[in-house]
Every structure is written in C-alpha cells, then in structure tokens.
C-alpha cells in the first residue's frame, strides 16, 4: 500500500480497521485532562475496563464464601487456572495441558531451568542472545553458578555483526553448530526487548535440537504480540509475563509452557511444592512428591486468584478479537506506517536524525519500533511525553514506540510523527 503522511489518510485507515472499536475497551492514562497516545504496551499494557468488575467479583467471593471459595461459587479457585489455560493455549499455539499460569516471569525461568538446564561433564554451555533482558542474564548466570560453573565458561552470547543491530539467524545457527555437543541449553527471547527483533524461533529450535540441546524461550515481548506455535515448533519450554502485550496489570501472573513430550519424563528435576502435586490426591497430604501431569506439575504455591482474575479478563479480550492472527495483520500495518512516517521525518529534516533499528522485514518484528535518535534523544523523548505521547526511553539513545493493535490507531501513529518532527525541529 502507498501510505500518505496526513491526518485524513490515517483516519481512513482507522475507519477501515475491523479492530478499531477495541480501544474503547481500555482505560488510557491522562495528563492535563487529555488522554495520552499510549505507545508503551511493550512495557505495561493498558487496563481493560472490565477488570474492575472482575476483581470486585473475586472480592465478593472472598467476602461471601471465604475458605469455601476454593471449592464453591461460580468459578471455584481450586480450578480457576483451568479457565485461563483454555485461552492461554490458543494465544501461544499450545494445548491447554502444556500451559499454566503461575508465579512471575523470572521465577518461572528459574523453575524451568531447574528442570531443563541439566549440565553434564562436557555439555554444560548455554547459548543465548547478547543483550538479553537483564533479568534473564542474572537468572542464567546464577543458575550456571548454582551448578558449579562460571558464567564465563558456560554462557555463550550470540551478538550482532559489527555495525549491525540485530542478529542474523545464520549466525545463531552457526554458533550452535560450532559448540555442538557442548551445548546443554539454547535460551533465547522470542522478541528482543531493545530492538524489537522477532527471532526465527523455529529455526533456532531446530538448530538446538540438531546438536542434542534443549531449547527454551522467554516470550515476555512475544506472547500476545506475534503468532506463536510453541507445540508445532517443538520448543521444549517457555515462559512469559502477561502484563506487557497481554494487559494483565503491573506484576501480573506469568505463564509457562512445557512441551507434552516432557510430561512423562521422571528424570526432570523440580523445585516442587504442594500445588504441583497430582490434583486428585493433593489433599491427602502424603509424603513423596507426585507431580500432576502437564505444565500444572510445575506449580509450587497455591493459585494467585487476584492476578489470575486480571489475566483471565485480559485473555477474554483476546478471545473476542480472535486471538493473535487478526491483531497481527493490523500490527504489521501499524508498524509499517510508523516506518514510513519516520522516513518522512528524516526526509523533511534533510538528515538521518532517526535510525530505526527494528528489522524492516515485517516477519522479523512485533509491535515495536526502536529508534536511535542521533542527537538530543532524551530531550526529544521528554518533548513527546510533555505533549501527551508516552513511549519509552532506553539509554543511551533509543526511543521505543509500540503501537499495539488492540488499542492504538493509525491516527496515533500519524500524530506521534507530527510531534516528533515539530519537537526535533525546535531543539536539534
Ligand atoms: C519484562 C521482562 C522480564 C521481567 O521479568 P519479571 O520477572 O516479570 O519482573 C524478564 N525477561 C524479559 C525478557 C522481559 O522482557
């Protein structure tokens, strides 16, 4: 499509957008009595309007049923997670048995590494992306040390080539092949938080399996953002947070995926707790851990009902939208429009003030556009915020803007571009 850099064109795109009404299901933050153009869903998704009611229902259950709420009421807490599993499956391309809501993301990464990072003599290396999200780096370093290895010898980071910002799949594959049977685990993000690059997860999984390694993914920036087929891609395990693209609220509950091929593996280590115990016999309270079959067997503590209620409500919004596929069509359109607008700004400024480091190829990115500002990036970013555009800033010079298909419009993208141009002209 030939894009145009004017308001009427952006509004025409919004009128033709079958998902445009979903933005009315969300609450927008305000400044000076005006709603923000919110482009920060990669960090914290907006509040679906319905959640106040959902939380209130749970408060009522707690009030009216108290401890009986575990087994009574419309949606007893004991089985509450099953409602979420039904919707989490389609969101990530897995069966309901392969997924479970529990804990928070980094905690789950640790729990899954306890099971799936099984270093042996000669095979203890972990291959990951250079510049992974810090929490993942700390988790991996500490896991490696826990097993008695040093991060320097055990962790191999695949970095972009000199002068490039994103990874080439062939380089990831080559590194995995190079270390071969020394590799115990390949652990990657699905979408990199900084550049917005969506990795070729299936190719990376194949490469890892080809050398006999386990392959896991942190899907913090991928789940609810890009279409995933975790089961069919034969990924061993994954985890994600639900508060970014899935709008489940600050510190929202995390999800895990364990491929069904691992369900019967009794050799897997676990840091067990009572809630992962076989559901039917859990309350016999007997000695000797007997895991529930499926992802549920990785649960440790009792169900977090409030965060699950928030997540369920947000998953129902996805269900109403038809899960990720329809959103993905709009998402590609939105980011493509943003690429175009940034290019127009560079042309008007007669320089290359802005460099997009997110891949131009739409199959290699999600709903995020990361932009290097060559001069005065921080001031430009602050100018956007002062003018009611909320993206996010990453040191030293990157502005991340995430047009989210559930609640952003083409007009949002156009207006952001107008402001970016004005602000830059006035201060650079
Ligand atoms: C957001 C994010 C996290 C955050 O982890 P929490 O445990 O939820 O605080 C971890 N890893 C990645 C890759 C992220 O993007």
């Amino acid at each position: 499509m030939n894009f145009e850099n004017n308001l009427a064109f952006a509004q025409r795109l919004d009128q033709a957008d079958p998902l445009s009404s979903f933005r009315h299901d969300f609450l927008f933050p305000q400044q000076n009595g005006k709603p923000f153009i919110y482009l920060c869903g990669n960090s914290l998704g907006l509040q679906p309007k319905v959640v106040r009611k959902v939380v209130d229902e749970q408060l009522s259950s707690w009030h009216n049923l108290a401890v009986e709420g575990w087994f009574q009421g419309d949606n007893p807490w004991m089985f509450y997670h099953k409602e979420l599993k039904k919707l989490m499956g389609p969101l990530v391309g897995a069966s309901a048995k392969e997924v479970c809501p529990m804990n928070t993301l980094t905690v789950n990464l640790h729990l899954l590494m306890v099971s799936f990072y099984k270093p042996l003599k000669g095979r203890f290396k972990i291959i990951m992306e250079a510049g992974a999200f810090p929490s993942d780096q700390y988790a991996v370093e500490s896991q490696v040390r826990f097993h008695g290895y040093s991060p320097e010898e055990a962790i191999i980071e695949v970095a972009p080539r000199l002068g490039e910002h994103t990874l080439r799949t062939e380089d990831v594959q080559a590194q995995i092949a190079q270390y071969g049977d020394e590799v115990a685990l390949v652990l990657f993000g699905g979408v990199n938080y900084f550049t917005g690059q969506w990795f070729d997860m299936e190719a990376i999984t194949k490469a890892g399996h080809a050398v006999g390694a386990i392959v896991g993914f942190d899907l913090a920036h991928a789940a609810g953002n890009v279409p995933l087929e975790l089961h069919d891609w034969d990924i061993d395990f994954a985890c994600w947070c639900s508060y970014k693209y899935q709008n489940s609220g600050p510190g929202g509950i995390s999800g895990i995926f364990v491929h069904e091929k691992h369900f019967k593996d009794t050799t897997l280590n676990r840091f067990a707790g009572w809630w992962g115990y076989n559901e039917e016999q859990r309350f016999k309270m007997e000695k000797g851990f007997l895991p529930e079959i499926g992802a549920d067997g990785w649960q440790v503590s009792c169900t977090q009902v409030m965060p699950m209620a928030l997540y369920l409500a947000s998953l129902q919004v996805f269900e109403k939208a038809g899960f990720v596929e329809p959103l993905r069509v709009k998402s590609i359109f939105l980011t493509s429009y943003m690429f175009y607008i940034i290019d127009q700004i560079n042309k008007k400024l007669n320089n290359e003030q802005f460099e997009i480091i997110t891949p131009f190829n739409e199959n290699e990115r999600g709903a995020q556009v990361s932009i290097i500002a060559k001069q005065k990036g921080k001031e430009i970013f602050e100018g956007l915020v002062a003018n009611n555009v909320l993206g996010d800033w990453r040191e030293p010079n990157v502005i991340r803007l995430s047009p989210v298909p559930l609640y952003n419009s083409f007009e949002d993208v156009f207006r952001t571009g107008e402001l970016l141009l004005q602000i830059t002209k006035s201060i650079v």
Side-chain angles (χ1 to χ4, degrees):
M1 160 172 271
N2 288 326
F3 288 126
E4 292 174 29
N5 190 10
N6 61 66
L7 180 61
F9 178 81
Q11 289 174 337
R12 275 207 303 283
L13 291 182
D14 285 327
Q15 274 152 21
D17 168 20
L19 298 168
S20 62
S21 65
F22 275 89
R23 72 193 261 117
H24 304 303
D25 292 347
F26 291 88
L27 295 167
F28 287 76
Q30 305 211 343
Q31 176 174 259
N32 305 326
K34 272 175 38 199
F36 272 102
I37 292 178
Y38 192 73
L39 297 170
C40 215
N42 59 313
S43 189
L44 181 68
L46 289 181
Q47 181 182 141
K49 285 181 182 165
V50 68
V51 303
R52 205 170 277 273
K53 173 170 148 279
V54 169
V55 169
D56 207 48
E57 282 166 7
Q58 291 310 323
L59 290 174
S60 296
S61 297
W62 181 20
H63 171 176
N64 294 317
L65 300 168
V67 72
E68 306 276 31
W70 284 106
F71 289 98
Q72 287 179 20
D74 294 339
N75 212 342
W77 303 325
M78 182 70 195
F79 311 109
Y80 199 87
H81 65 299
K82 292 182 198 270
E83 293 301 310
L84 282 84
K85 284 157 62 75
K86 278 187 227 155
L87 301 180
M88 290 163 72
L91 202 71
V92 297
S95 72
K97 268 197 156 319
E98 288 172 315
V99 294
C100 190
M102 61 180 81
N103 313 312
T104 42
L105 174 54
T106 312
V107 171
N108 285 337
L109 194 55
H110 276 297
L111 293 175
L112 289 165
M113 284 185 76
V114 164
S115 296
F116 292 107
Y117 175 52
K118 297 181 284 186
L120 301 167
K121 207 163 179 297
R123 188 193 274 278
F124 59 85
K125 289 191 167 42
I126 300 178
I127 299 211
M128 60 191 296
E129 72 208 90
F133 193 83
S135 199
D136 298 39
Q137 296 183 37
Y138 309 147
V140 173
E141 285 169 12
S142 56
Q143 284 281 334
V144 160
R145 285 207 182 90
F146 177 72
H147 286 284
Y149 299 94
S150 76
E152 292 72 34
E153 59 176 345
I155 302 173
I156 309 295
E157 293 188 332
V158 190
R161 294 185 189 185
L162 208 64
E164 297 184 5
H165 296 286
T166 52
L167 282 180
R168 298 193 192 197
T169 307
E170 71 218 62
D171 291 353
V172 182
Q173 290 166 319
Q175 289 260 27
I176 294 172
Q178 183 196 327
Y179 287 97
D181 60 13
E182 294 170 40
V183 185
L185 174 66
V186 176
L187 182 65
F188 255 71
V191 172
N192 180 273
Y193 80 101
F194 192 75
T195 63
Q197 179 180 20
W198 179 19
F199 299 116
D200 187 337
M201 297 169 57
E202 191 177 14
I204 292 171
T205 306
K206 277 211 177 84
H209 287 168
V211 299
I214 291 277
V215 182
F217 283 91
D218 181 331
L219 302 174
H221 284 265
N225 176 15
V226 291
L228 299 168
E229 294 295 342
L230 301 187
H231 178 92
D232 287 352
W233 294 342
D234 204 24
I235 287 164
D236 293 286
F237 72 91
C239 46
W240 56 91
C241 51
S242 58
Y243 51 78
K244 291 174 179 167
Y245 291 99
Q246 294 177 68
N247 316 313
S248 76
I253 198 160
S254 163
I256 71 157
F257 163 85
V258 176
H259 198 283
E260 74 174 349
K261 68 186 174 184
H262 296 297
F263 286 0
K264 300 233 164 91
D265 184 349
T266 51
T267 67
L268 294 176
N269 286 316
R270 296 180 205 233
F271 284 172
W274 71 320
W275 226 255
Y277 200 90
N278 175 274
E279 196 179 290
E280 256 132 53
Q281 304 176 63
R282 189 179 299 157
F283 292 99
K284 288 189 181 166
M285 310 289 217
E286 281 175 355
K287 215 171 165 50
F289 183 71
L290 178 67
E292 173 69 12
I293 303 291
D296 294 16
W298 271 265
Q299 294 174 101
V300 178
S301 296
C302 73
T303 285
Q304 298 151 259
V305 177
M306 285 297 171
M308 283 207 306
L310 296 173
Y311 191 19
L312 180 59
S314 53
L315 285 166
Q316 285 164 343
V317 177
F318 277 88
E319 185 184 29
K320 200 167 98 183
F323 293 104
V324 179
E325 293 293 339
L327 295 171
R328 175 69 179 157
V329 175
K330 177 175 173 186
S331 176
I332 289 173
F333 219 170
L334 277 171
T335 49
S336 301
Y337 192 44
M338 192 171 265
F339 270 68
Y340 163 82
I341 295 277
I342 300 293
D343 185 52
Q344 293 287 305
I345 293 173
N346 276 334
K347 287 191 173 124
K348 285 193 186 157
L349 292 169
N350 276 325
N351 64 21
E352 295 292 316
Q353 159 69 3
F354 297 108
E355 181 193 358
I356 297 180
I357 58 174
T358 303
F360 183 74
N361 178 346
E362 63 194 33
N363 297 319
E364 293 176 23
R365 64 169 192 256
Q368 173 184 328
V369 180
S370 299
I371 306 162
I372 291 182
K374 295 283 165 67
Q375 299 170 65
K376 305 217 169 151
K378 192 76 195 283
E379 288 91 331
I380 293 169
F381 175 75
E382 281 162 1
L384 285 175
V385 179
N387 285 280
N388 276 42
V389 175
L390 202 53
D392 93 1
W393 171 253
R394 285 290 131 173
E395 294 294 343
N397 56 4
V398 170
I399 297 172
R400 296 188 302 176
L401 301 175
S402 292
V404 172
L406 271 176
Y407 49 74
N408 284 118
S409 63
F410 292 90
E411 184 171 335
D412 287 347
V413 174
F414 168 76
R415 289 195 185 279
T416 300
E418 284 292 282
L419 281 166
L420 202 53
L421 179 64
Q422 269 175 30
I423 293 163
T424 308
K425 268 187 177 161
S426 71
I427 62 177
V428 171

